[in-house]
Amino acid sequence: MSCRDGDDGRPAPEPTPDQPPRIPLPRASVEDTGHPLPALADLGDQAPRPAAPLVLEHRVLKALLGAWALAACSPEETAAVEEHLGDCGSCADEARRLREAVGLLHPAESLDLDPALRARVLEGCLKRRPPRIPVPEWARPYDAETARLDALLQDFGDAEWHAPVRLRWFEKDEPTSRRTTVAGVIAHLLTVDGLVAVALGLEDPMGDVAADRPTPAARTDAYWRASHFPPTRAVRAPWREQTHALVRTVSFTGGGGGTGGLAVPYGDFELPLRDAMLDRAFECWVHAEDIAEAVDYPYEPPSGSNLHQMVGLAARLLPTVLSARRRAGLAAPPPGRHLVPAGEPGRSLRLEIEGSGGGEWLIPLDSPAAVGSAEHEVAHVALDGTEFCRLAAGHVSPAEAAAGQVGDRTAIRDVLLAAASLSRM
């Protein structure tokens, strides 16, 4: 049927010039006429009238409290309930309890992006255009963790920079802690990262400040004592500049076997550069969690690939730490006091790390030069990846950390205590 047809099927008559069209044309907006808008008072009865407030009985308002706590009331009901809460103490207490219960149903979620997102974006970009000077694989966790911590710090105000933080670690198998501030933690990272900077020939952030010993704790104490005032937000810039300098330097030097094997002294021990960079990435993440906890902000663990490298470093260090603890009388001697010759298989503990960054490592128990062997496995320990890292950071006691234990209890205890003793200030 044509749009010109009438209801009886015959063509509709053409409109005459003095007749309005059957379908009205759209009206022009008053904004398009160039004339001023009419005052609200001139509209008279056409002006919108505010809705009359709801008048509800007490029992009805009380029944609405659950819906109000879930933000499921209409605007009129919400206004009526909130006005009632100002006059009724019992309903106000009930409303507060319901709101707290609703908060438990919605746990705090991090506003940060997924830690793995940065790695995925960089991987996609580098596939399209490979870098002329790539960052070595063992330096990427440090690059990522320092960037994540800097993103956390960028919006901090004075109150957050001076928020109290407690640094925790294990010393002589006992939990130990020191109290500082968020700014003090960044100063600690600055001074300890300075050990790597000095080994690479960069400027020492300590400047003219002399430490009693070249250990992380002594350097930190000396830096804190030399400050006329507690560290403030001003420490962020030199710390971030140093992190960039470290990544640039190891990248420009090629990241090959010679550079990665450069010794970085820590006072009581030393690590090759590749392990020192992983160690600094690990500590950066651990202290970022300390800071986030101090300011009540959620903070995610590292990406799986970076976490795997950190766990691998701790697993490689465990045989040496076990040997040192055995010499100090802190670990049980090998059965029969027989040390396995270097390169030979010996008693081993299977360390199974679950979750993101997981894997399996065979830890030789009788000598740091021995080789882990599945045939000589005497114990098996299973741990979540982040839980193992928190154990190695001294944030979890060995008794609380193990998720599964099978085999020689003495060996298990010695390995878990050795993992906790990896922690330091």
Side-chain angles (χ1 to χ4, degrees), residues 37-48:
L37 295 176
L40 189 62
D42 297 338
L43 295 177
D45 294 338
Q46 299 179 16

Side-chain angles (χ1 to χ4, degrees), residues 167-213:
L167 302 180
R168 295 169 290 166
W169 70 97
F170 266 68
E171 189 171 322
K172 297 180 181 178
D173 295 346
E174 293 293 334
T176 309
S177 65
R178 284 282 299 273
R179 185 183 176 90
T180 183
T181 63
V182 170
V185 174
I186 302 302
H188 168 60
L189 291 175
L190 173 71
T191 57
V192 184
D193 286 1
L195 291 170
V196 183
V198 172
L200 289 171
L202 302 176
E203 183 179 354
D204 189 344
M206 297 282 289
D208 297 332
V209 178
D212 298 335
R213 300 178 61 212

Side-chain angles (χ1 to χ4, degrees), residues 16 102 152 156 222 241-242 259 267 295-296 300 335 354 391:
T16 59
V102 169
L152 174 66
F156 277 15
E241 183 178 348
Q242 179 176 256
T259 304
V295 299
D296 195 22
E300 298 295 330
E354 302 170 338
L391 170 66

Side-chain angles (χ1 to χ4, degrees), residues 138 253-264 271-276:
W138 40 265
T253 52
T259 304
L262 176 70
V264 178
L271 292 174
L273 177 60
R274 61 172 62 90
D275 287 348

